[in-house]
Structure formats: structure tokens, C-alpha cells
Amino acid sequence: MTFFREATPSLNVRAWYVPRPEAHRNASGRFVNAHSTIEIAWTQEGSSQYLVASQTLVSPVAAVVVIPALTEHRTTVAPGTRARVLGLSHSVVEEVADAMGLRAELQASVMANPRLHRLCEHIFDEAAEGAPGHDLALDSLTEALAVELLRADVPRTSVPDSRPTDLRIRRALDYIASSYAEPLSLDGIAKVAGMSRFHFGRMFEAQVGKSPYRYLVDVRIARAAALLATGRVSVTEAALSVGYNDLGRFGRAFRARFGVAPSEALAAGRSARGSAPVRIHPAEPSLGARPAPGLLARFA
């Protein structure tokens, strides 16, 4: 890596050049990398490829490779390759997706989108130069970047009929979203919805696709993951802030959702603010193709 800068709390930029005659293999051997921000990479000269699970993504010049947060991957860069990378906070994508009525879920993919490529170059230059007002400009540009990423993935991220049709279930979802850190109970949520516990549980699962308890756990763990990804809170602080007083229970729920321990997610978040790559042993459960919202990463 020849250049790194944390431009804003939600964006970092890196530049690479591999001059050696031999190819550079990122995290070769029995280790793979995962990063604590969404990785958006492109080559300016040469070529590179990413191995994500069984999928190989080749990054030609002017195309953009997107690697979601905390997605295990290996990177191979050909000699003489120059590459640029943006590390974008998933929270930016979540906020924009919510405003667009989309899911904030991106797949590892290659996007041959000239407008997206130009925008990435512009963001990199703005961040690297650090001119007066660059933070204000980058706030707007990163939102535009999130829009472009979501537009490119609209066939998969769109949710035309995903919002529950029953207003009582919607009311329950809004209540969970605003009160997830409180000691919620099924009876209490059902009361907010104005339904009996039994009828509420059945209708909620039918319209949301999971039980109220499972949904609440997912919301809490996703919020905790977003906090840990900043690298600024401890595991205990993250657990308490989302309603977990039992750290053991929190750790088990976190690992079940993401395949890594909360401490590993915290290390990933902190590494995004430093210089060390994040390494996760393949023996750990795979993070899969749908990384969790709020977990972010850096290019090693």
C-alpha cells in the first residue's frame, strides 16, 4: 500500500502499487481477509482479482469491484498494478437505502458502470487532496456513491412488497426500531400492536418472515455490529447499548449471526483506523454472501 487516509468518519481511501516482478497475494496460505468497511476497488493499470467463497471477481481497468462488509476474501494483484480503494461505512448505505425504500444489502460483484467509476475517482481525489471544505463535499459525494451502488443492485435490493400490509405489524416494527435497547417482551410488543400475544406472533411471522423474538435479536445484533465497526466502543459498551446485560449471551448471538466473535468485529473496526489487515481463520464459520449490515472494512 502506498497511500492511506481516513478522510471522514465514514470514508477512508487507499492507493496501491505492486512493482515487484512477482504477484502479491493478500492473506495467502491458510488466512483470509475481511474488512470493516464496504470495499470499493478499481484498477488504474494492470489487473487484480478477488476470490470470494467460490466466486472469482476480476477487476479490469475502469470497472469497480464491490466487496461487502466483513466478507472473507483473498486478493491477488498482478505485478505493475496500480489500484485505488474506497472504504465506505455501511451506515451511509443503510441510511440512503432506507430513504430509497431499498434493502441495504450488497453482493460481492464487478460493476462496469462508467458513471460509478468516475464518481469513485472524484471521491478519491477529493479525499486525497484534503482541500478546505473537503469534509462537506465528501458527505454529499458518499451519499451519491451509496445511491449509485444501490441503483446498480436494484433488482436484488428492491423491496416493492416487503413492508407488512397490516398497520398493526408496521406499528410493532416501528416500536422495535425505536426501543430495541429497552427490555422488550412479546406481550409488550403485542400490546403496542393492539393484538393478543398469540395472534400477534402468528401474524408477525407470516408478514415479516421471522418470529418477533428473532427479529428483535437481529435488530439488536445489527446495531451492535455497527457500533463495533467504528472501533470506538468496547464489546461491553456495544452489548449494553443494544439491551444485552449478559455478555455470554450477546457473544453467542453475535457469532450465530455473523460467524465471528464481537471482539473480532471490534478488531476489524479498529484496524480500519490503523494500518494492520484483519485476518480471520477459515476454521471460523463463514460469513457467507450476505454480510451483516453495519459491519465495515479495509483493503489490506
Side-chain angles (χ1 to χ4, degrees):
M1 183 168 62
T2 59
F3 175 81
F4 172 83
R5 171 172 289 173
E6 184 177 359
T8 70
S10 60
L11 177 75
N12 63 63
V13 298
R14 286 96 72 192
W16 285 82
Y17 174 57
V18 182
R20 298 189 302 273
E22 72 278 5
H24 165 71
R25 180 175 294 275
N26 185 16
S28 61
R30 61 193 185 98
F31 289 102
V32 294
N33 279 336
H35 306 297
S36 58
T37 53
I38 299 170
E39 182 173 335
I40 305 159
W42 66 99
T43 56
Q44 296 181 301
E45 180 182 353
S47 65
S48 59
Q49 67 179 29
Y50 294 75
L51 178 62
V52 183
S54 60
Q55 182 182 18
T56 299
L57 303 176
V58 178
S59 175
V61 173
V64 175
V65 173
V66 177
I67 305 293
L70 275 186
T71 297
E72 298 175 352
H73 64 280
R74 289 187 176 90
T75 307
T76 301
V77 183
T81 294
R82 296 182 184 273
R84 286 181 164 185
V85 187
L86 304 179
L88 178 66
S89 166
H90 194 90
S91 62
V92 175
V93 177
E94 284 184 314
E95 291 172 4
V96 172
D98 184 62
M100 295 174 66
L102 302 175
R103 292 193 182 96
E105 300 173 358
L106 300 172
Q107 293 278 15
S109 60
V110 178
M111 297 183 179
N113 182 327
R115 183 166 63 181
L116 176 60
H117 177 255
R118 289 194 300 271
L119 178 59
C120 289
E121 289 279 16
H122 183 36
I123 291 173
F124 187 98
D125 290 340
E126 183 70 37
E129 291 169 5
H134 75 280
D135 51 343
L136 297 176
L138 288 173
D139 283 344
S140 296
L141 289 170
T142 51
E143 287 188 358
L145 175 59
V147 169
E148 287 297 327
L149 292 173
L150 291 164
R151 282 177 175 174
D153 223 18
V154 158
R156 201 188 56 76
T157 58
S158 59
V159 286
D161 299 313
S162 64
R163 184 74 169 160
T165 57
D166 193 289
L167 293 179
R168 296 170 296 179
I169 301 300
R170 292 189 185 188
R171 189 158 59 242
L173 290 174
D174 291 339
Y175 177 61
I176 292 173
S178 63
S179 308
Y180 61 86
E182 303 298 323
L184 303 183
S185 67
L186 180 57
D187 286 335
I189 301 173
K191 184 177 181 180
V192 169
M195 303 169 67
S196 71
R197 170 176 174 158
F198 176 74
H199 186 50
F200 169 72
R202 293 185 61 182
M203 180 172 286
F204 188 100
E205 187 160 1
Q207 295 207 11
V208 178
K210 60 184 70 176
S211 70
Y213 172 76
R214 184 70 262 164
Y215 181 84
L216 174 60
V217 168
D218 286 349
V219 169
R220 285 174 167 169
I221 295 301
R223 298 298 189 272
L227 290 172
L228 293 172
T230 67
R232 296 186 176 94
V233 300
S234 68
V235 171
T236 299
E237 288 170 331
L240 293 174
S241 70
V242 299
Y244 277 95
N245 295 318
D246 185 335
L247 290 182
R249 185 180 178 192
F250 170 69
R252 290 189 294 273
F254 196 97
R255 184 179 288 276
R257 173 72 184 274
F258 298 135
V260 296
S263 58
E264 293 176 272
L266 176 59
R270 286 176 174 169
S271 73
R273 302 175 59 78
S275 59
V278 181
R279 290 181 174 179
I280 299 176
H281 197 285
E284 298 290 350
S286 173
L287 296 175
R290 294 180 60 192
L295 291 178
L296 322 186
R298 63 179 301 279
F299 189 79

